[in-house]
Amino acid sequence: MDGDRVGERVRARTVTVATDEGLHARPAANVVETVEQFDAEVRIAPAGDADNDNRNGDRDDDPVAATSVLAVTSLGVASGDDVRLVATGDDATAALDALEELLS
């Protein structure tokens, strides 16, 4: 998280991705568009569950900014995988609520 958010309360949530495509181009773009509506910094990562390993076993589970389509698609998240959403900022809870609705 960037230095401007130091000291703010961090909100986090785990969500199961229900979109048929997982987090590929269109769903990732929808994530970015949703995040941009809020005064919040949101990061996303695969939840790290052993059952969520991608098909090649080489997925990077480090969180990425949810404001980058390329970063979100690079996570390799498939339909049915869990993702961990972490947010800070005035609208952190609202951003997480909107993302949960979008992805579920």
Side-chain angles (χ1 to χ4, degrees):
M1 306 262 163
D2 83 29
D4 294 340
R5 302 282 187 193
V6 172
E8 285 187 314
R9 185 170 176 172
V10 176
R11 308 253 184 226
R13 192 170 302 173
T14 300
V15 175
T16 301
V17 176
T19 60
D20 290 338
E21 310 85 14
L23 289 182
H24 294 287
R26 174 58 53 201
N30 292 340
V31 166
V32 170
E33 290 171 7
T34 299
V35 169
E36 290 175 343
Q37 297 174 29
F38 298 95
D39 180 19
E41 180 182 334
V42 180
R43 297 184 67 76
I44 184 171
D49 181 53
D51 292 336
N52 272 351
D53 288 342
N54 73 348
R55 308 313 166 237
N56 299 324
D58 59 359
R59 180 171 68 197
D60 183 1
D61 289 350
D62 290 335
V64 299
T67 53
S68 167
V69 173
L70 183 58
V72 173
T73 58
S74 75
L75 295 173
V77 173
S79 182
D81 286 353
D82 291 337
V83 292
R84 183 84 171 148
L85 304 168
V86 180
T88 59
D90 292 340
D91 295 337
T93 300
L96 294 179
D97 290 344
L99 287 169
E100 183 173 13
E101 183 175 331
L102 174 71
L103 297 172
S104 298

